[in-house]
Amino acid sequence: MKKLLLLAAFLPLLGEAAEKEDMTFVVKDKKIVVDVDGSKTNVKVFGNDGVEQTKVSEMNFVDGQEVEQVYVGSPFLPTSNLQHIDFAPRYPTVWFGMANITGKVFGTSQLHHARFSKSFEFGVTPYYMSVPFNKQNSMGFSIAAQLVWSHLCFQKDYVVTETGGKWDFVKMDQRADGNNINYMSFRLPMMFTVDGSYDFYLGLGLSPEIRTNAWYKMKGNISADETYKLNRLGLNMSVVWGIGPLVFSGSLGLTPLFKTVNGKKAYQNSCSVGVDVLSLVKLINSGKKKNKNKIDF
């Protein structure tokens, strides 16, 4: 009788001590640790080597409310380390598109002596992050870092000159074999994105950019290989749309690329198509068994 009374007296103390300890159990080759910290319940998973596995997503349950953590990532990381959430930014990992120079913002006619037919841009998106606005993950805000190479062509019988930091086009008596400028830029698109049904998405936002100097090249009987200064900072309006991993995007220049002697400004526009590698990986993995990551107690 005394033993039973003594055990009953210690039971509350044992329960209090158990509440302060982590709960650890093993499922197959995974060690799962459940930790209760006040009103939070956290779950961690470790491999058989004792190393904590990378989280794809995590839920903390706080007083009945779900709080989802948002992660950043890069499509150039190994597939096993991809941090992918339901609301994913839809930026093309790589893209190629046609470029054009117009004389005004939202202009449709190209700048005089510019050539649209062979002007293009090529870009990559090595980094991004995103934040959903609702629990349905149907809309949110995202930001990315992009590197872009632009190749802009001019008419072959007009040579480009620079006077006082401004551009001018001078008529030549003969045609060159090539007449173009090339420059690199770093873009930081900030987009408001809406995800619709059937994996359709649409995004709109602004994209500040920082440009390098332009390398001017002319080939043929008259050759030139010079470096010209561009307006170092620029701002574009950006739009993306597409289905699944296929991404279409457009960029409209809001600030001038350079000035000509007669005062006309030039704005660069582009329209491109690319592939979102993260969405492509998700599409490939969707064929796997849905219960692969389920835990049976």
Side-chain angles (χ1 to χ4, degrees):
M1 186 67 179
K2 292 182 179 181
K3 292 182 178 180
L4 292 176
L5 293 175
L6 184 62
L7 179 61
F10 276 102
L11 280 177
L13 298 177
L14 292 174
E16 182 179 355
E19 289 179 358
K20 296 181 180 180
E21 295 292 334
D22 296 340
M23 179 179 179
T24 303
F25 53 94
V26 178
V27 178
K28 295 184 178 179
D29 59 344
K30 311 291 185 183
K31 183 172 72 172
I32 302 174
V33 179
V34 181
D35 175 30
V36 179
D37 182 12
S39 60
K40 287 187 176 182
T41 301
N42 301 317
V43 179
K44 295 182 179 180
V45 180
F46 297 84
N48 53 12
D49 55 358
V51 178
E52 183 179 358
Q53 295 188 347
T54 302
K55 292 183 286 292
V56 175
S57 62
E58 180 181 70
M59 282 287 189
N60 289 334
F61 297 89
V62 185
D63 296 332
Q65 297 180 354
E66 296 181 358
V67 180
E68 184 173 359
Q69 295 186 3
V70 178
Y71 294 91
V72 299
S74 168
F76 297 105
L77 293 174
T79 304
S80 59
N81 293 334
L82 289 179
Q83 297 177 339
H84 191 75
I85 59 177
D86 290 335
F87 178 77
R90 301 306 181 101
Y91 295 101
T93 306
V94 293
W95 78 88
F96 178 84
M98 303 301 295
N100 190 21
I101 301 177
T102 63
K104 58 182 179 180
V105 178
F106 301 121
T108 56
S109 59
Q110 65 182 7
L111 188 71
H112 197 44
H113 308 314
R115 297 175 61 206
F116 172 72
S117 60
K118 293 188 177 181
S119 297
F120 62 85
E121 71 174 24
F122 173 80
V124 295
T125 306
Y127 184 81
Y128 69 86
M129 66 174 295
S130 62
V131 180
F133 288 162
N134 56 8
K135 292 183 179 180
Q136 293 77 24
N137 294 315
S138 61
M139 63 179 62
F141 173 81
S142 60
I143 187 170
Q146 296 181 330
L147 298 175
V148 185
W149 174 44
S150 297
H151 176 85
L152 306 176
C153 292
F154 307 105
Q155 291 180 0
K156 295 182 179 181
D157 55 348
Y158 278 85
V159 63
V160 176
T161 62
E162 184 181 26
T163 304
K166 297 181 180 181
W167 288 70
D168 193 12
F169 298 90
V170 178
K171 175 72 174 179
M172 298 188 302
D173 295 332
Q174 53 186 326
R175 292 174 60 86
D177 294 334
N179 189 9
N180 58 75
I181 64 170
N182 298 272
Y183 71 93
M184 300 289 295
S185 60
F186 171 78
R187 293 179 185 171
L188 195 69
M190 296 172 284
M191 308 284 289
F192 173 76
T193 306
V194 177
D195 283 0
S197 57
Y198 303 104
D199 207 20
F200 173 80
Y201 51 89
L202 176 67
L204 181 67
L206 296 176
S207 178
E209 74 174 21
I210 302 175
R211 308 183 185 103
T212 65
N213 292 331
W215 295 275
Y216 177 60
K217 293 183 177 295
M218 175 172 279
K219 300 178 181 179
N221 297 329
I222 298 178
S223 62
D225 192 352
E226 304 178 53
T227 301
Y228 288 154
K229 292 182 179 179
L230 300 176
N231 288 332
R232 189 67 69 191
L233 300 178
L235 181 65
N236 308 299
M237 176 179 288
S238 298
V239 59
V240 296
W241 69 97
I243 298 178
L246 188 62
V247 182
F248 299 93
S249 58
S251 177
L252 299 173
L254 301 179
T255 57
L257 182 65
F258 55 80
K259 293 183 179 181
T260 61
V261 170
N262 61 9
K264 291 183 179 179
K265 298 180 180 179
Y267 302 86
Q268 181 180 346
N269 302 328
S270 65
C271 183
S272 59
V273 60
V275 176
D276 177 12
V277 170
L278 290 180
S279 296
L280 183 61
V281 171
K282 181 180 178 180
L283 181 64
I284 295 175
N285 291 337
S286 63
K288 296 182 179 180
K289 293 182 179 180
K290 296 181 179 180
N291 60 352
K292 180 179 179 181
N293 295 323
K294 289 184 179 179
I295 301 175
D296 296 324
F297 294 94

